[in-house]
Amino acid sequence: MLDSKNAWQPYTPSAENPWDRKKVGHLYRRAGFGATEAELAAGLTDGHAKTLDRILAGEAETEDFARTSAFMASERSMPPGAPQGRLSAWWLDRMLKTKHPLREKLTLFWHNHFATSNAKVQNARFMLAQYQLVQAHALGSFRTLLTQMGADPAMLVWLDTNTSTKGAPNENYAREVMELFSLGVGNYTETDIRQAARAFTGYEIKEGKGTLNRRQHDASEKEVFGKKGKFTGEDIAGLCLDHEACPRFIVRKFYKFLVSDTDTPGADLIDPLAEQYRKSDFDTGKLVSTILRSNLFFSPTAYRAKIKSPVEFAIGSVRALEGAVGTLPLAEALEGLGQVLFAPPSVKGWDGGEAWLNAQTLLGRNNLALAITATDNARFGTRCDPAELAAKHGAGTDAQLVDFLLGLFLQGDVPNEARTKLLDYLKATKDVKYPAYWSEDDIANHRTRAVTHLVLTLPEYQLN
């Protein structure tokens, strides 16, 4: 068991705690959306330090990807009234193709933190602008991100700040900026909220940008957290950031996101990171680097201590198979699993953890895995062929195939019984008669695709 003094110290491989395939897979799942076979092999060969540096830095996006993604996000392709599915599909496409998975993963974190839904905003341009704000600062300054979020058009609509005037201040954003975005319950008073609400009056949207209308802004003195001044919204963000509870609150959320859904860390673990975060002026990149490099991150406390979100399940599966999928139908499928990008269920975001799994969503994951592993699924436009991938890596026999798939998706870390059941399935289906209408490809590769589907439905694969 790690003590708090060593928990955040950099992990150093040893004979007792080696850098192995399991740790490479763990890192790629948490700091992105899983790994390909080539990435797992490179991570093992390169060692932990070089692999961590590469993941944290990311790679430059290809010109083709950047150009295509920008066009699809342009007003011509994504006008204000674009349907929800198109928004979600655009981001899913970025997650599948990005050369910097960590940045997209942390953009997803901040999206859930500043949970804003297009169900109310009803403006794809505003939602994309918020994405761009969050993505730009995902590994950067939380101070900048929180300050600018107060005038973000999507947020102005989402929490009604755009209707808040000096004669009728709206308390929604003032409440949530403290309760959910920076401090947490118990670190402010109702008086603080009412006073801060006056500071957020007069914000409106002009030409797609959030601006402060001085004529509708309450410029009189307010008192928040015992401090007095003629505060604006930006000033309130600064007061929240200066509050002693702020770095602890954000660090706890990162702990849950990167380390464990179930472990509740004490102050002895949180306070050192919170102090580092405060001293760095809320440099999120440094905070994330400390967590991902730490002894605790590579300990049993963190390993498989999270449940994959629907997005993580889907994107990780497709990326590992080195394939492609139609992101519009994928977005529709993910809605059935409980996750719609750009449309979290409430201002609190998705609960995550065990809430992701129930009888209905497990069946949905099973069906999605079947669609992903079927090369002829017209609805999904699937171009993921486990048989082609297995052949590429020389998995010719049944035993080689099972070991390859378990090594790819689970780094071989499953009970022996699971491996045995997969081999038994392949043996039982070896000489069955196939329908007359099946193609030669179906007959030759059905077993490979079916056993891949079974791997994606294993309990261990639902864990992150």
Side-chain angles (χ1 to χ4, degrees):
M1 183 67 180
L2 284 171
D3 60 50
S4 57
K5 292 182 179 179
N6 294 319
W8 302 121
Q9 292 301 307
Y11 159 72
T12 301
S14 65
E16 297 76 23
N17 190 19
W19 175 250
D20 55 18
R21 194 178 176 95
K22 289 193 298 183
K23 287 187 174 65
V24 178
H26 170 67
L27 175 61
Y28 269 94
R29 286 192 302 274
R30 296 293 174 82
F33 302 98
T36 63
E37 178 63 27
E39 287 169 334
L40 289 168
L44 197 58
T45 300
D46 292 343
H48 78 291
K50 186 175 179 179
T51 303
L52 277 158
D53 288 344
R54 180 171 60 248
I55 287 175
L56 285 161
E59 296 180 30
E61 305 291 6
T62 65
E63 289 186 13
D64 181 62
F65 170 77
R67 182 172 56 253
T68 302
S69 185
F71 173 75
M72 294 307 295
S74 68
E75 188 161 2
R76 179 179 176 183
S77 297
M78 198 86 70
Q84 174 62 49
R86 195 184 303 172
L87 262 176
S88 299
W90 174 83
W91 195 358
L92 290 169
D93 188 69
R94 286 192 63 85
M95 292 176 180
L96 283 169
K97 298 174 181 176
T98 182
K99 296 291 187 181
H100 200 337
L102 176 60
R103 183 177 294 280
E104 292 301 322
K105 187 71 171 282
L106 292 180
T107 303
L108 182 60
F109 166 83
W110 289 120
H111 174 49
N112 197 42
H113 179 79
F114 293 108
T116 305
S117 175
N118 194 44
K120 178 178 178 179
V121 176
Q122 292 289 295
N123 189 308
R125 304 307 306 159
F126 291 174
M127 296 304 299
L128 283 172
Q130 188 181 93
Y131 164 88
Q132 289 159 358
L133 170 63
V134 168
Q135 202 247 18
H137 301 290
L139 279 160
S141 168
F142 176 61
R143 178 178 292 279
T144 302
L145 180 56
L146 183 67
T147 302
Q148 294 186 8
M149 188 60 70
D152 171 73
M155 184 63 75
L156 291 176
V157 176
W158 174 236
L159 291 178
D160 306 302
T161 317
N162 63 326
T163 65
S164 186
T165 63
K166 59 183 176 182
N170 185 296
E171 296 180 2
N172 287 354
Y173 188 75
R175 181 178 300 279
E176 306 310 352
V177 77
M178 295 180 193
E179 179 180 335
L180 298 176
F181 302 161
S182 66
L183 302 179
V185 175
N187 293 300
Y188 55 87
T189 67
E190 289 299 311
T191 300
D192 290 328
I193 291 172
R194 287 192 294 272
Q195 293 286 300
R198 293 168 52 214
F200 284 106
T201 54
Y203 286 86
E204 57 189 30
I205 302 168
K206 283 192 174 183
E207 298 180 356
K209 305 290 184 182
T211 61
L212 180 60
N213 181 346
R214 295 285 176 180
R215 290 177 297 176
Q216 293 297 332
H217 174 67
D218 184 342
S220 62
E221 185 177 79
K222 301 98 176 171
E223 183 175 353
V224 179
F225 308 142
K227 298 179 180 180
K228 296 181 180 180
K230 296 180 179 181
F231 301 135
T232 64
E234 290 186 358
D235 297 321
I236 298 301
L239 291 173
C240 290
L241 289 158
D242 292 341
H243 196 295
E244 63 179 1
C246 184
R248 289 199 296 267
F249 178 73
I250 301 301
V251 165
R252 282 189 180 278
K253 295 197 76 168
F254 269 106
Y255 186 97
K256 183 176 181 180
F257 187 73
L258 292 174
V259 179
S260 173
D261 281 338
T262 57
D263 183 57
T264 303
D268 57 333
L269 280 177
I270 295 299
D271 286 353
L273 276 190
E275 181 64 8
Q276 172 193 315
Y277 200 35
R278 184 189 65 80
K279 286 184 175 180
S280 73
D281 199 22
F282 297 93
D283 185 327
T284 300
K286 288 183 179 179
L287 172 66
V288 170
S289 177
T290 297
I291 295 174
L292 295 182
R293 295 180 189 276
S294 70
N295 286 317
L296 182 61
F297 181 78
F298 289 108
S299 76
T301 298
Y303 184 67
R304 288 185 180 170
K306 290 180 61 61
I307 293 172
K308 284 187 175 80
S309 69
V311 166
E312 290 168 331
F313 175 84
I315 299 299
S317 300
V318 176
R319 285 181 72 109
L321 287 169
E322 301 175 34
V325 66
T327 53
L328 276 170
L330 181 59
E332 183 180 340
L334 291 176
E335 182 176 2
L337 300 185
Q339 191 168 28
V340 181
L341 297 176
F342 294 109
S346 74
V347 73
K348 293 183 179 179
W350 295 284
D351 291 333
E354 294 182 359
W356 289 128
L357 300 180
N358 56 48
Q360 181 178 348
T361 59
L362 282 172
L363 177 60
R365 289 186 183 216
N366 189 313
N367 291 336
L368 180 56
L370 184 61
I372 288 172
T373 54
T375 59
D376 59 350
N377 192 300
R379 178 190 167 213
F380 277 84
T382 309
R383 296 188 300 280
C384 302
D385 191 353
E388 183 179 320
L389 187 65
K392 172 183 173 182
H393 291 281
T397 68
D398 286 357
Q400 289 172 340
L401 174 61
V402 168
D403 287 341
F404 168 71
L405 293 173
L406 292 177
L408 173 63
F409 291 107
L410 291 156
Q411 291 73 64
D413 190 12
V414 295
N416 289 331
E417 308 90 84
R419 182 178 184 275
T420 299
K421 287 181 179 179
L422 294 171
L423 287 169
D424 288 345
Y425 167 81
L426 289 172
K427 182 178 180 181
T429 56
K430 198 162 192 175
D431 298 315
V432 299
K433 292 184 178 180
Y434 296 107
Y437 59 83
W438 276 23
S439 67
E440 291 185 8
D441 176 73
D442 289 333
I443 294 171
N445 296 314
H446 170 72
R447 292 165 66 248
T448 297
R449 293 164 187 155
V451 79
T452 304
H453 168 242
L454 292 177
V455 171
L456 297 185
T457 62
L458 288 173
E460 291 81 6
Y461 188 67
Q462 313 315 309
L463 302 178
N464 207 30

